Amino acid sequence: MAAVSTPEREAFYKKIDGENLTALWTVMSDLITPEPKSACRPHLWQFAAIRNYMMEAGQLITAKEAERRVLILENPGLRGQSKITTSLYAGIQMVIPGDIAPAHRHSQSALRFVLGGKGAFTTVDGERTVMQPGDFVITPSMAWHDHGNETSEPMFWLDGLDIPLVQFLDASFAEGARDDQQKVARPAGDSFARYGHNLLPVGTKRGARTSPIFNYPYAHTREALEQARRRDEWDPCHGLKLKFSNPETGDYAMPTIGTFIQLLPNGFSTARYRSTDATVFAAIEGRGRTRIGEQVFEWGPRDLFVVPSWHWVTHEADEDAVLFSFSDRPVQEKLDLFREDRGNA
Ligand code: GTQ
Protein backbone atom coordinates (compact mmCIF):
# COMPACT_ATOMS: atom_id res chain seq x y z
CA MET A 1 0.00 0.00 0.00
CA ALA A 2 1.43 3.38 -0.99
CA ALA A 3 1.50 6.11 1.67
CA VAL A 4 -0.61 9.16 0.79
CA SER A 5 1.16 12.32 -0.23
CA THR A 6 0.97 15.48 1.89
CA PRO A 7 2.84 18.78 1.36
CA GLU A 8 4.79 18.17 4.58
CA ARG A 9 5.79 14.68 3.48
CA GLU A 10 6.80 15.85 0.00
CA ALA A 11 8.96 18.59 1.52
CA PHE A 12 10.58 16.00 3.76
CA TYR A 13 11.29 13.63 0.86
CA LYS A 14 12.88 16.48 -1.04
CA LYS A 15 15.02 17.49 1.93
CA ILE A 16 16.39 13.97 2.53
CA ASP A 17 16.85 13.38 -1.20
CA GLY A 18 19.77 15.83 -1.11
CA GLU A 19 21.39 13.65 1.53
CA ASN A 20 21.11 10.46 -0.61
CA LEU A 21 18.29 9.16 1.55
CA THR A 22 14.89 7.78 0.50
CA ALA A 23 11.88 6.89 2.64
CA LEU A 24 11.22 3.16 2.29
CA TRP A 25 7.45 3.60 2.52
CA THR A 26 7.45 5.50 -0.81
CA VAL A 27 9.01 2.60 -2.73
CA MET A 28 8.34 -0.52 -0.70
CA SER A 29 5.50 -1.86 -2.85
CA ASP A 30 7.74 -1.71 -5.96
CA LEU A 31 10.58 -3.48 -4.16
CA ILE A 32 8.76 -6.31 -2.46
CA THR A 33 6.01 -7.52 -4.76
CA PRO A 34 3.53 -10.26 -3.90
CA GLU A 35 4.50 -12.00 -7.16
CA PRO A 36 7.34 -11.63 -9.68
CA LYS A 37 6.87 -8.39 -11.59
CA SER A 38 9.22 -8.04 -14.52
CA ALA A 39 9.77 -5.69 -17.44
CA CYS A 40 10.68 -8.82 -19.44
CA ARG A 41 8.02 -9.56 -22.08
CA PRO A 42 7.06 -12.66 -24.09
CA HIS A 43 8.49 -12.53 -27.61
CA LEU A 44 9.32 -14.70 -30.64
CA TRP A 45 12.02 -14.15 -33.27
CA GLN A 46 11.70 -15.94 -36.61
CA PHE A 47 15.02 -17.40 -37.66
CA ALA A 48 14.44 -16.72 -41.38
CA ALA A 49 14.39 -12.95 -40.77
CA ILE A 50 17.47 -13.02 -38.53
CA ARG A 51 19.32 -15.16 -41.07
CA ASN A 52 18.79 -12.53 -43.77
CA TYR A 53 20.04 -9.73 -41.51
CA MET A 54 23.04 -11.84 -40.57
CA MET A 55 23.95 -12.39 -44.21
CA GLU A 56 23.73 -8.62 -44.62
CA ALA A 57 25.99 -8.16 -41.58
CA GLY A 58 28.42 -10.57 -43.24
CA GLN A 59 28.88 -7.98 -46.01
CA LEU A 60 29.41 -5.18 -43.50
CA ILE A 61 31.98 -6.58 -41.11
CA THR A 62 34.36 -9.51 -40.72
CA ALA A 63 34.23 -11.76 -37.67
CA LYS A 64 37.79 -10.64 -36.89
CA GLU A 65 36.92 -6.95 -36.83
CA ALA A 66 33.65 -7.51 -34.98
CA GLU A 67 35.42 -9.97 -32.62
CA ARG A 68 32.09 -11.80 -32.64
CA ARG A 69 29.56 -11.33 -35.47
CA VAL A 70 26.41 -11.54 -33.41
CA LEU A 71 22.94 -10.00 -33.48
CA ILE A 72 21.67 -9.68 -29.93
CA LEU A 73 18.15 -10.87 -29.16
CA GLU A 74 16.87 -7.98 -27.07
CA ASN A 75 13.75 -8.44 -25.06
CA PRO A 76 11.23 -5.78 -26.18
CA GLY A 77 10.68 -4.81 -22.53
CA LEU A 78 14.43 -4.46 -21.89
CA ARG A 79 15.67 -2.61 -25.00
CA GLY A 80 19.15 -1.16 -24.91
CA GLN A 81 20.31 -3.51 -22.17
CA SER A 82 21.48 -6.50 -24.23
CA LYS A 83 19.21 -8.80 -22.25
CA ILE A 84 16.74 -11.46 -23.36
CA THR A 85 15.64 -11.95 -19.75
CA THR A 86 16.53 -9.92 -16.67
CA SER A 87 19.48 -12.20 -15.91
CA LEU A 88 20.51 -13.64 -19.29
CA TYR A 89 21.83 -12.62 -22.69
CA ALA A 90 21.12 -14.30 -26.03
CA GLY A 91 22.38 -13.67 -29.54
CA ILE A 92 22.61 -15.30 -32.93
CA GLN A 93 26.18 -15.77 -34.12
CA MET A 94 27.20 -16.38 -37.72
CA VAL A 95 30.57 -17.85 -38.71
CA ILE A 96 31.05 -17.95 -42.49
CA PRO A 97 33.66 -19.92 -44.41
CA GLY A 98 37.11 -18.44 -43.76
CA ASP A 99 36.01 -16.46 -40.67
CA ILE A 100 38.19 -16.36 -37.61
CA ALA A 101 36.50 -15.16 -34.44
CA PRO A 102 39.68 -14.44 -32.43
CA ALA A 103 40.60 -16.13 -29.16
CA HIS A 104 39.55 -14.44 -25.96
CA ARG A 105 38.31 -15.38 -22.51
CA HIS A 106 35.99 -13.85 -19.94
CA SER A 107 34.26 -14.55 -16.63
CA GLN A 108 30.91 -14.93 -18.37
CA SER A 109 29.94 -18.52 -19.19
CA ALA A 110 28.62 -19.18 -22.68
CA LEU A 111 26.52 -21.85 -24.31
CA ARG A 112 26.06 -22.45 -28.02
CA PHE A 113 23.08 -24.24 -29.48
CA VAL A 114 23.69 -24.92 -33.15
CA LEU A 115 20.83 -23.89 -35.47
CA GLY A 116 22.26 -24.30 -38.96
CA GLY A 117 25.34 -25.18 -40.98
CA LYS A 118 27.63 -28.11 -40.82
CA GLY A 119 31.08 -28.60 -39.42
CA ALA A 120 32.28 -25.17 -38.29
CA PHE A 121 34.37 -25.40 -35.14
CA THR A 122 35.03 -23.81 -31.80
CA THR A 123 38.23 -24.36 -29.87
CA VAL A 124 37.85 -24.33 -26.08
CA ASP A 125 41.02 -24.46 -23.95
CA GLY A 126 42.96 -26.18 -26.71
CA GLU A 127 40.32 -28.70 -27.79
CA ARG A 128 38.56 -28.21 -31.07
CA THR A 129 35.02 -29.44 -31.59
CA VAL A 130 33.26 -29.59 -34.93
CA MET A 131 29.61 -28.59 -34.56
CA GLN A 132 26.39 -29.93 -36.07
CA PRO A 133 22.80 -28.64 -35.78
CA GLY A 134 21.30 -29.45 -32.38
CA ASP A 135 24.68 -29.70 -30.63
CA PHE A 136 24.89 -28.02 -27.22
CA VAL A 137 28.39 -26.64 -26.66
CA ILE A 138 29.79 -25.02 -23.50
CA THR A 139 32.43 -22.35 -23.05
CA PRO A 140 33.20 -22.30 -19.29
CA SER A 141 34.03 -19.13 -17.39
CA MET A 142 37.60 -17.95 -18.22
CA ALA A 143 38.18 -20.67 -20.86
CA TRP A 144 40.01 -19.48 -23.99
CA HIS A 145 37.81 -19.79 -27.07
CA ASP A 146 37.95 -18.99 -30.76
CA HIS A 147 35.63 -19.99 -33.59
CA GLY A 148 36.26 -20.77 -37.24
CA ASN A 149 34.71 -22.34 -40.30
CA GLU A 150 36.68 -24.39 -42.82
CA THR A 151 33.52 -25.68 -44.56
CA SER A 152 31.75 -24.19 -47.57
CA GLU A 153 28.58 -23.01 -45.80
CA PRO A 154 27.77 -20.48 -43.10
CA MET A 155 27.08 -21.69 -39.59
CA PHE A 156 24.55 -20.15 -37.22
CA TRP A 157 24.14 -20.76 -33.56
CA LEU A 158 22.30 -19.40 -30.56
CA ASP A 159 24.61 -17.89 -27.94
CA GLY A 160 23.39 -17.89 -24.33
CA LEU A 161 25.52 -16.06 -21.77
CA ASP A 162 25.15 -14.97 -18.15
CA ILE A 163 26.29 -11.43 -19.07
CA PRO A 164 23.53 -9.57 -17.12
CA LEU A 165 24.07 -11.73 -14.06
CA VAL A 166 27.83 -11.08 -14.06
CA GLN A 167 27.13 -7.39 -14.69
CA PHE A 168 24.75 -7.31 -11.72
CA LEU A 169 27.50 -8.75 -9.54
CA ASP A 170 30.22 -6.46 -11.01
CA ALA A 171 32.42 -9.49 -11.56
CA SER A 172 33.47 -9.16 -15.21
CA PHE A 173 37.02 -9.87 -16.36
CA ALA A 174 38.06 -10.38 -19.99
CA GLU A 175 41.21 -10.57 -22.07
CA GLY A 176 42.21 -11.21 -25.66
CA ALA A 177 44.89 -13.68 -26.68
CA ARG A 178 48.10 -12.77 -28.50
CA ASP A 179 47.26 -15.16 -31.35
CA ASP A 180 43.85 -15.18 -33.05
CA GLN A 181 43.69 -18.97 -32.98
CA GLN A 182 44.69 -21.24 -30.16
CA LYS A 183 47.03 -24.10 -30.75
CA VAL A 184 45.09 -27.32 -30.77
CA ALA A 185 46.52 -29.22 -27.81
CA ARG A 186 44.12 -32.17 -27.49
CA PRO A 187 42.50 -34.47 -30.05
CA ALA A 188 38.95 -33.74 -31.22
CA GLY A 189 36.40 -35.54 -29.05
CA ASP A 190 38.83 -35.81 -26.11
CA SER A 191 36.48 -34.45 -23.43
CA PHE A 192 33.57 -36.61 -24.60
CA ALA A 193 35.83 -39.67 -24.79
CA ARG A 194 36.99 -39.08 -21.20
CA TYR A 195 33.69 -38.07 -19.62
CA GLY A 196 30.84 -39.02 -21.94
CA HIS A 197 30.45 -42.72 -21.15
CA ASN A 198 29.32 -42.91 -17.51
CA LEU A 199 32.94 -43.50 -16.54
CA LEU A 200 35.14 -40.96 -14.81
CA PRO A 201 38.91 -40.85 -14.47
CA VAL A 202 40.02 -42.06 -11.01
CA GLY A 203 42.52 -40.05 -9.03
CA THR A 204 41.98 -36.70 -10.69
CA LYS A 205 39.38 -34.38 -9.26
CA ARG A 206 38.81 -31.28 -11.33
CA GLY A 207 36.72 -29.47 -8.75
CA ALA A 208 35.10 -27.37 -11.48
CA ARG A 209 31.41 -26.56 -11.50
CA THR A 210 31.15 -26.61 -15.29
CA SER A 211 30.79 -29.95 -17.05
CA PRO A 212 34.03 -31.40 -18.46
CA ILE A 213 32.02 -32.38 -21.55
CA PHE A 214 31.86 -29.32 -23.74
CA ASN A 215 29.98 -30.68 -26.72
CA TYR A 216 26.78 -32.66 -26.10
CA PRO A 217 26.19 -33.91 -29.67
CA TYR A 218 22.62 -33.83 -30.93
CA ALA A 219 22.85 -37.42 -32.19
CA HIS A 220 23.15 -38.57 -28.54
CA THR A 221 20.56 -36.12 -27.24
CA ARG A 222 18.05 -37.17 -29.88
CA GLU A 223 18.69 -40.85 -29.16
CA ALA A 224 18.07 -40.25 -25.43
CA LEU A 225 14.73 -38.63 -26.27
CA GLU A 226 13.82 -41.43 -28.66
CA GLN A 227 14.63 -44.12 -26.07
CA ALA A 228 12.63 -42.28 -23.42
CA ARG A 229 9.68 -41.96 -25.76
CA ARG A 230 9.33 -45.75 -25.90
CA ARG A 231 8.62 -45.72 -22.18
CA ASP A 232 5.61 -43.54 -22.87
CA GLU A 233 5.90 -41.60 -19.60
CA TRP A 234 4.77 -38.14 -20.54
CA ASP A 235 4.89 -35.24 -18.15
CA PRO A 236 1.63 -33.30 -18.59
CA CYS A 237 3.45 -29.93 -18.37
CA HIS A 238 6.60 -30.74 -20.36
CA GLY A 239 6.04 -33.75 -22.60
CA LEU A 240 9.43 -35.34 -22.22
CA LYS A 241 11.99 -32.94 -20.79
CA LEU A 242 15.59 -33.71 -19.85
CA LYS A 243 18.29 -31.53 -18.34
CA PHE A 244 21.87 -31.55 -19.59
CA SER A 245 24.00 -32.64 -16.64
CA ASN A 246 27.58 -32.48 -15.46
CA PRO A 247 28.75 -36.14 -15.17
CA GLU A 248 31.05 -35.31 -12.25
CA THR A 249 28.36 -33.76 -10.05
CA GLY A 250 24.98 -34.70 -11.50
CA ASP A 251 24.17 -30.99 -11.31
CA TYR A 252 23.38 -28.76 -14.29
CA ALA A 253 26.04 -28.71 -17.01
CA MET A 254 26.81 -25.04 -16.28
CA PRO A 255 26.88 -23.27 -12.89
CA THR A 256 24.75 -20.26 -13.85
CA ILE A 257 22.62 -21.52 -16.74
CA GLY A 258 20.34 -24.56 -16.78
CA THR A 259 19.96 -26.19 -20.19
CA PHE A 260 17.19 -28.54 -21.28
CA ILE A 261 15.95 -30.54 -24.25
CA GLN A 262 12.33 -31.54 -24.65
CA LEU A 263 10.28 -33.67 -27.00
CA LEU A 264 6.66 -32.85 -27.73
CA PRO A 265 5.14 -35.56 -29.92
CA ASN A 266 2.78 -34.77 -32.78
CA GLY A 267 -0.58 -33.67 -31.36
CA PHE A 268 0.70 -33.25 -27.77
CA SER A 269 -0.69 -30.34 -25.85
CA THR A 270 0.81 -29.46 -22.46
CA ALA A 271 -0.96 -28.53 -19.23
CA ARG A 272 -0.29 -24.99 -18.04
CA TYR A 273 2.91 -24.35 -16.13
CA ARG A 274 4.72 -21.38 -14.66
CA SER A 275 8.05 -20.95 -12.92
CA THR A 276 10.25 -18.16 -11.60
CA ASP A 277 13.01 -18.81 -14.16
CA ALA A 278 12.38 -16.78 -17.31
CA THR A 279 13.24 -19.22 -20.11
CA VAL A 280 14.64 -18.92 -23.64
CA PHE A 281 13.48 -21.58 -26.13
CA ALA A 282 14.91 -22.63 -29.51
CA ALA A 283 12.92 -25.03 -31.69
CA ILE A 284 15.21 -27.44 -33.49
CA GLU A 285 12.64 -29.82 -35.02
CA GLY A 286 8.93 -29.65 -35.73
CA ARG A 287 6.23 -27.01 -35.61
CA GLY A 288 3.74 -25.89 -33.06
CA ARG A 289 2.62 -23.00 -30.94
CA THR A 290 3.18 -21.71 -27.45
CA ARG A 291 0.74 -19.66 -25.43
CA ILE A 292 2.39 -17.30 -22.96
CA GLY A 293 -0.21 -15.51 -20.83
CA GLU A 294 -2.72 -14.26 -23.41
CA GLN A 295 -0.33 -14.29 -26.40
CA VAL A 296 0.12 -17.13 -28.88
CA PHE A 297 3.39 -17.63 -30.78
CA GLU A 298 3.65 -19.98 -33.78
CA TRP A 299 7.07 -21.57 -34.19
CA GLY A 300 8.96 -23.79 -36.61
CA PRO A 301 12.55 -25.04 -36.84
CA ARG A 302 15.18 -22.55 -35.56
CA ASP A 303 12.66 -20.00 -34.27
CA LEU A 304 13.39 -18.54 -30.83
CA PHE A 305 11.07 -17.36 -28.08
CA VAL A 306 11.23 -16.19 -24.49
CA VAL A 307 8.89 -16.88 -21.58
CA PRO A 308 9.19 -14.34 -18.72
CA SER A 309 9.15 -15.33 -15.05
CA TRP A 310 5.82 -16.49 -13.62
CA HIS A 311 3.87 -16.34 -16.91
CA TRP A 312 1.55 -19.27 -17.61
CA VAL A 313 2.80 -21.26 -20.57
CA THR A 314 1.40 -24.10 -22.67
CA HIS A 315 2.89 -25.74 -25.76
CA GLU A 316 1.14 -27.55 -28.63
CA ALA A 317 2.95 -29.59 -31.28
CA ASP A 318 1.64 -30.14 -34.84
CA GLU A 319 4.54 -32.48 -35.65
CA ASP A 320 7.07 -34.27 -33.47
CA ALA A 321 8.88 -31.26 -32.05
CA VAL A 322 12.12 -30.79 -30.12
CA LEU A 323 12.75 -27.67 -28.05
CA PHE A 324 16.04 -26.64 -26.48
CA SER A 325 15.76 -24.19 -23.59
CA PHE A 326 17.87 -22.36 -21.01
CA SER A 327 17.31 -20.32 -17.87
CA ASP A 328 18.95 -19.19 -14.62
CA ARG A 329 17.31 -22.06 -12.69
CA PRO A 330 20.62 -23.38 -11.20
CA VAL A 331 21.18 -20.00 -9.55
CA GLN A 332 17.63 -19.72 -8.22
CA GLU A 333 17.68 -23.27 -6.86
CA LYS A 334 20.95 -22.72 -5.01
CA LEU A 335 19.60 -19.54 -3.46
CA ASP A 336 16.31 -21.25 -2.50
CA LEU A 337 14.40 -18.84 -4.73
CA PHE A 338 13.10 -21.17 -7.42
CA ARG A 339 9.34 -21.77 -7.49
CA GLU A 340 7.13 -23.55 -9.98
CA ASP A 341 3.40 -24.01 -10.32
CA ARG A 342 2.02 -26.96 -12.29
CA GLY A 343 -1.56 -25.70 -12.28
CA ASN A 344 -3.63 -28.76 -11.43
CA ALA A 345 -1.40 -31.21 -13.34
O1 GTQ B 1 31.41 -16.29 -28.89
O2 GTQ B 1 32.76 -15.57 -27.35
O3 GTQ B 1 27.25 -13.73 -28.29
O4 GTQ B 1 32.21 -13.42 -26.06
C1 GTQ B 1 28.74 -12.65 -26.82
C2 GTQ B 1 30.01 -12.58 -26.26
C3 GTQ B 1 29.42 -14.56 -28.09
C4 GTQ B 1 31.69 -15.52 -27.96
C5 GTQ B 1 28.47 -13.65 -27.73
C6 GTQ B 1 30.98 -13.51 -26.61
C7 GTQ B 1 30.69 -14.49 -27.54
Short mmCIF file of all heavy atoms in Angstrom, two decimals, residues 67-68 70 89-93 104 106 110 112 139 145 147 157 159-161 163, ligand 1:
data_model
loop_
_atom_site.label_atom_id
_atom_site.label_comp_id
_atom_site.label_asym_id
_atom_site.label_seq_id
_atom_site.Cartn_x
_atom_site.Cartn_y
_atom_site.Cartn_z
N GLU A 67 35.03 -9.03 -33.69
CA GLU A 67 35.42 -9.97 -32.62
C GLU A 67 34.41 -11.12 -32.58
O GLU A 67 34.78 -12.27 -32.66
CB GLU A 67 35.57 -9.29 -31.25
CG GLU A 67 36.21 -10.22 -30.24
CD GLU A 67 36.77 -9.51 -29.01
OE1 GLU A 67 37.02 -8.28 -29.05
OE2 GLU A 67 36.98 -10.21 -28.00
N ARG A 68 33.13 -10.78 -32.48
CA ARG A 68 32.09 -11.80 -32.64
C ARG A 68 30.99 -11.18 -33.50
O ARG A 68 30.47 -10.11 -33.16
CB ARG A 68 31.50 -12.21 -31.29
CG ARG A 68 32.47 -12.90 -30.35
CD ARG A 68 32.95 -14.23 -30.87
NE ARG A 68 33.83 -14.97 -29.96
CZ ARG A 68 35.16 -14.90 -29.97
NH1 ARG A 68 35.80 -14.12 -30.82
NH2 ARG A 68 35.87 -15.64 -29.13
N VAL A 70 27.60 -11.08 -34.13
CA VAL A 70 26.41 -11.54 -33.41
C VAL A 70 25.33 -10.48 -33.48
O VAL A 70 25.62 -9.29 -33.37
CB VAL A 70 26.76 -11.80 -31.92
CG1 VAL A 70 25.52 -12.15 -31.12
CG2 VAL A 70 27.82 -12.90 -31.78
N TYR A 89 21.57 -13.19 -21.37
CA TYR A 89 21.83 -12.62 -22.69
C TYR A 89 21.65 -13.71 -23.73
O TYR A 89 21.98 -14.88 -23.47
CB TYR A 89 23.27 -12.11 -22.70
CG TYR A 89 23.89 -11.96 -24.07
CD1 TYR A 89 24.04 -10.70 -24.66
CD2 TYR A 89 24.36 -13.07 -24.77
CE1 TYR A 89 24.62 -10.57 -25.92
CE2 TYR A 89 24.93 -12.94 -26.03
CZ TYR A 89 25.06 -11.69 -26.60
OH TYR A 89 25.62 -11.56 -27.84
N ALA A 90 21.14 -13.35 -24.92
CA ALA A 90 21.12 -14.30 -26.03
C ALA A 90 21.43 -13.56 -27.32
O ALA A 90 21.14 -12.36 -27.46
CB ALA A 90 19.77 -14.99 -26.14
N GLY A 91 22.07 -14.26 -28.24
CA GLY A 91 22.38 -13.67 -29.54
C GLY A 91 22.44 -14.76 -30.58
O GLY A 91 22.50 -15.95 -30.24
N ILE A 92 22.39 -14.35 -31.85
CA ILE A 92 22.61 -15.30 -32.93
C ILE A 92 23.96 -14.97 -33.56
O ILE A 92 24.20 -13.83 -33.95
CB ILE A 92 21.50 -15.21 -34.01
CG1 ILE A 92 20.12 -15.43 -33.40
CG2 ILE A 92 21.78 -16.22 -35.13
CD1 ILE A 92 19.87 -16.81 -32.83
N GLN A 93 24.84 -15.95 -33.58
CA GLN A 93 26.18 -15.77 -34.12
C GLN A 93 26.30 -16.46 -35.47
O GLN A 93 25.77 -17.55 -35.65
CB GLN A 93 27.22 -16.33 -33.15
CG GLN A 93 28.65 -16.15 -33.63
CD GLN A 93 29.72 -16.13 -32.53
OE1 GLN A 93 30.89 -15.94 -32.82
NE2 GLN A 93 29.33 -16.30 -31.29
N HIS A 104 39.63 -15.28 -27.15
CA HIS A 104 39.55 -14.44 -25.96
C HIS A 104 38.99 -15.28 -24.82
O HIS A 104 38.62 -16.44 -25.01
CB HIS A 104 38.70 -13.17 -26.23
CG HIS A 104 37.24 -13.40 -26.43
ND1 HIS A 104 36.37 -12.43 -26.91
CD2 HIS A 104 36.44 -14.48 -26.21
CE1 HIS A 104 35.14 -12.90 -26.95
NE2 HIS A 104 35.15 -14.13 -26.54
N HIS A 106 36.71 -14.77 -20.83
CA HIS A 106 35.99 -13.85 -19.94
C HIS A 106 35.31 -14.63 -18.82
O HIS A 106 35.14 -15.85 -18.91
CB HIS A 106 34.97 -13.03 -20.74
CG HIS A 106 34.25 -13.77 -21.83
ND1 HIS A 106 33.34 -14.76 -21.57
CD2 HIS A 106 34.34 -13.69 -23.19
CE1 HIS A 106 32.88 -15.24 -22.72
NE2 HIS A 106 33.47 -14.62 -23.72
N ALA A 110 29.39 -19.23 -21.45
CA ALA A 110 28.62 -19.18 -22.68
C ALA A 110 28.15 -20.58 -23.08
O ALA A 110 28.84 -21.57 -22.83
CB ALA A 110 29.46 -18.59 -23.82
N ARG A 112 26.44 -22.54 -26.60
CA ARG A 112 26.06 -22.45 -28.02
C ARG A 112 25.04 -23.54 -28.26
O ARG A 112 25.22 -24.67 -27.80
CB ARG A 112 27.23 -22.71 -28.97
CG ARG A 112 28.59 -22.34 -28.44
CD ARG A 112 28.88 -20.90 -28.58
NE ARG A 112 30.09 -20.55 -27.83
CZ ARG A 112 30.39 -19.31 -27.49
NH1 ARG A 112 29.59 -18.31 -27.82
NH2 ARG A 112 31.48 -19.04 -26.82
N THR A 139 31.17 -23.04 -23.30
CA THR A 139 32.43 -22.35 -23.05
C THR A 139 32.43 -21.94 -21.58
O THR A 139 31.72 -21.02 -21.19
CB THR A 139 32.57 -21.07 -23.92
OG1 THR A 139 32.30 -21.41 -25.27
CG2 THR A 139 33.96 -20.50 -23.81
N HIS A 145 38.62 -19.26 -25.97
CA HIS A 145 37.81 -19.79 -27.07
C HIS A 145 37.93 -18.94 -28.32
O HIS A 145 37.97 -17.73 -28.26
CB HIS A 145 36.35 -19.97 -26.66
CG HIS A 145 35.70 -18.73 -26.09
ND1 HIS A 145 36.03 -18.22 -24.87
CD2 HIS A 145 34.74 -17.91 -26.59
CE1 HIS A 145 35.30 -17.15 -24.62
NE2 HIS A 145 34.51 -16.93 -25.66
N HIS A 147 36.50 -19.24 -32.68
CA HIS A 147 35.63 -19.99 -33.59
C HIS A 147 36.13 -19.85 -35.02
O HIS A 147 36.71 -18.82 -35.38
CB HIS A 147 34.19 -19.47 -33.55
CG HIS A 147 33.66 -19.12 -32.20
ND1 HIS A 147 33.67 -20.02 -31.16
CD2 HIS A 147 33.11 -17.99 -31.70
CE1 HIS A 147 33.13 -19.44 -30.09
NE2 HIS A 147 32.79 -18.20 -30.39
N TRP A 157 24.53 -20.16 -34.83
CA TRP A 157 24.14 -20.76 -33.56
C TRP A 157 23.57 -19.72 -32.62
O TRP A 157 23.78 -18.52 -32.78
CB TRP A 157 25.28 -21.54 -32.93
CG TRP A 157 26.49 -20.78 -32.49
CD1 TRP A 157 26.57 -19.88 -31.47
CD2 TRP A 157 27.82 -20.87 -33.06
NE1 TRP A 157 27.85 -19.43 -31.36
CE2 TRP A 157 28.63 -20.01 -32.31
CE3 TRP A 157 28.37 -21.61 -34.10
CZ2 TRP A 157 30.00 -19.86 -32.58
CZ3 TRP A 157 29.72 -21.47 -34.36
CH2 TRP A 157 30.52 -20.61 -33.62
N ASP A 159 23.73 -18.10 -29.08
CA ASP A 159 24.61 -17.89 -27.94
C ASP A 159 23.75 -17.60 -26.72
O ASP A 159 22.85 -16.75 -26.79
CB ASP A 159 25.49 -16.65 -28.15
CG ASP A 159 26.69 -16.90 -29.04
OD1 ASP A 159 27.25 -18.00 -28.99
OD2 ASP A 159 27.07 -15.97 -29.79
N GLY A 160 24.03 -18.25 -25.60
CA GLY A 160 23.39 -17.89 -24.33
C GLY A 160 24.49 -17.59 -23.33
O GLY A 160 25.39 -18.42 -23.14
N LEU A 161 24.49 -16.42 -22.76
CA LEU A 161 25.52 -16.06 -21.77
C LEU A 161 24.88 -15.46 -20.52
O LEU A 161 23.77 -14.91 -20.58
CB LEU A 161 26.52 -15.05 -22.34
CG LEU A 161 27.56 -15.58 -23.35
CD1 LEU A 161 27.02 -15.48 -24.77
CD2 LEU A 161 28.89 -14.85 -23.26
N ILE A 163 25.76 -12.80 -19.10
CA ILE A 163 26.29 -11.43 -19.07
C ILE A 163 25.56 -10.52 -18.05
O ILE A 163 26.22 -9.91 -17.21
CB ILE A 163 26.26 -10.80 -20.50
CG1 ILE A 163 27.30 -11.50 -21.40
CG2 ILE A 163 26.51 -9.30 -20.45
CD1 ILE A 163 27.23 -11.11 -22.87
O1 GTQ B 1 31.41 -16.29 -28.89
O2 GTQ B 1 32.76 -15.57 -27.35
O3 GTQ B 1 27.25 -13.73 -28.29
O4 GTQ B 1 32.21 -13.42 -26.06
C1 GTQ B 1 28.74 -12.65 -26.82
C2 GTQ B 1 30.01 -12.58 -26.26
C3 GTQ B 1 29.42 -14.56 -28.09
C4 GTQ B 1 31.69 -15.52 -27.96
C5 GTQ B 1 28.47 -13.65 -27.73
C6 GTQ B 1 30.98 -13.51 -26.61
C7 GTQ B 1 30.69 -14.49 -27.54
#
